Amino acid sequence: MPQPAPAPVLTAKELLKRLPRKEPFTARASLVGERLHLRDLPEPSGSFSPLVLPAGAGGLAVLFRYGAAVLFNVTEVEQKTFFKELHARIERPLRRLETEETRVLVSATEPDGVTGEGVSVRELSLPRLQIVATALARSVALAYYEAAMAGAFDVVEPLALHIEQESARGRRLKALLRHIGGALVVQHKLTGRIEIGDKPDLLWEYPELERLYLRLESEYELTERAAVLERKLALIAHTAEITVELLQNRRMLRVEWYIVLLIVLEVVLYTYEIWWKR
């Protein structure tokens, strides 16, 4: 896989100088693909995950391995250019980007949290921006999988109702199993990659930012949305279990009928042979 040329390594202070301090700036989260390959990208000295890079003329990008990117103070034109340069690192790019946008305000008089104008931070620091980016990235990933599950749920429900009917065979059952398989893949991504229910690792180094993350988590309802999605996934998984059992029962019943027919055929042939000899 060809990789773009590495960007120059900047310190955290040099990265923060790219952002305005006296006026609000945009924070736009996008889910660009199923995975981002971030190996060999330069990391700012003294920083922690997630990865922060310069973007645009005066902005920053926070990248997540599960396919999300959060851009601060970057115009839409600059965003397109940045994603074009990042394309070689995107695994299975999405045709339609799932996005979410807010504004970040730096105010020493306001506590860290959510206001009517956007997200307020007491000071402009890289860890604070990474916490904001983490909440936005998780929210946009949830939005994408919520939409995907809504479509799968609408298809699985009527197909599941046809399981009890004799017409539920062949293509119908294959379509049902295909959608169920897709739902189980989503469940694996949510628990294995995005880790919605876990607090960001950054809070181990900066426990004072936990209140900011909890406020963002509450504002975007990350826990509640993840719980609803998990319940839908559990229902689909239960449907998969029932479907497999019904398929196995049908096959066993079909085999039993074949055995009965063979026995009947053998009895008929034996009776005919006896009658013919007489």
Side-chain angles (χ1 to χ4, degrees):
M1 178 184 297
Q3 303 292 350
V9 179
L10 300 180
T11 64
K13 290 183 178 181
E14 290 173 333
L15 288 172
L16 291 175
K17 286 181 180 179
R18 299 174 59 86
L19 300 176
R21 294 175 179 269
K22 296 182 179 181
E23 58 184 27
F25 53 89
T26 60
R28 188 183 303 110
S30 302
L31 192 69
V32 297
E34 291 194 3
R35 198 168 183 85
L36 276 174
H37 297 281
L38 306 180
R39 185 176 299 176
D40 300 331
L41 285 176
E43 297 185 14
S45 58
S47 67
F48 299 90
S49 180
L51 178 66
V52 183
L53 296 175
L60 299 179
V62 184
L63 305 181
F64 298 83
R65 296 186 184 277
Y66 54 82
V70 182
L71 304 183
F72 293 98
N73 197 39
V74 173
T75 66
E76 293 186 3
V77 175
E78 292 173 335
Q79 174 179 288
K80 291 181 180 178
T81 303
F82 181 80
F83 287 161
K84 186 176 181 180
E85 295 173 352
L86 197 67
H87 183 77
R89 297 182 179 272
I90 303 175
E91 183 178 327
R92 296 182 183 178
L94 300 182
R95 294 182 179 179
R96 184 182 66 85
L97 297 183
E98 190 73 39
T99 60
E100 193 159 341
E101 185 174 324
T102 188
R103 294 179 71 79
V104 179
L105 307 89
V106 182
S107 175
T109 59
E110 295 288 337
D112 292 332
V114 181
T115 66
E117 299 180 8
V119 179
S120 176
V121 292
R122 296 187 63 181
E123 62 175 315
L124 193 61
S125 66
L126 215 54
R128 279 179 168 81
L129 294 179
Q130 289 171 306
I131 290 296
V132 173
T134 299
L136 288 173
R138 291 182 175 184
S139 179
V140 78
L142 276 173
Y144 172 77
Y145 289 121
E146 284 168 347
M149 280 300 93
F153 207 73
D154 292 340
V155 174
V156 167
E157 184 179 7
L159 285 174
L161 293 176
H162 285 287
I163 293 177
E164 299 178 356
Q165 303 177 5
E166 289 298 325
S167 59
R169 59 182 66 173
R171 293 181 180 178
R172 285 187 179 274
L173 290 178
K174 288 181 179 179
L176 176 60
L177 293 175
R178 183 173 64 252
H179 285 285
I180 288 173
L184 297 179
V185 169
V186 169
Q187 188 175 29
H188 167 71
K189 291 177 181 178
L190 284 175
T191 56
R193 294 184 184 177
I194 306 177
E195 300 176 341
I196 295 292
D198 298 339
K199 292 182 181 180
D201 293 339
L202 195 65
L203 295 180
W204 290 101
E205 298 294 333
Y206 300 94
E208 67 275 12
L209 298 181
E210 184 171 359
R211 181 174 297 181
L212 171 61
Y213 177 76
L214 291 177
R215 288 175 177 173
L216 291 170
E217 184 183 50
S218 175
E219 173 67 19
Y220 292 101
E221 300 178 339
L222 299 182
T223 303
E224 293 82 357
R225 291 162 63 190
V228 171
L229 200 55
E230 286 290 341
R231 286 196 293 268
K232 287 186 177 181
L233 290 168
L235 180 58
I236 293 176
H238 183 60
T239 304
E241 183 180 352
I242 295 176
T243 303
V244 171
E245 290 179 358
L246 288 174
L247 287 173
Q248 290 177 343
N249 291 338
R250 284 189 179 182
R251 289 175 180 174
M252 290 177 62
L253 182 61
R254 191 179 297 117
V255 171
E256 291 175 357
W257 274 108
Y258 290 157
I259 294 174
V260 170
L261 288 175
L262 288 174
I263 293 174
V264 171
L265 180 61
E266 186 176 356
V267 170
V268 170
L269 291 175
Y270 182 72
T271 304
Y272 178 77
E273 183 179 357
I274 294 176
W275 179 81
W276 178 258
K277 288 182 179 180
R278 290 184 178 180

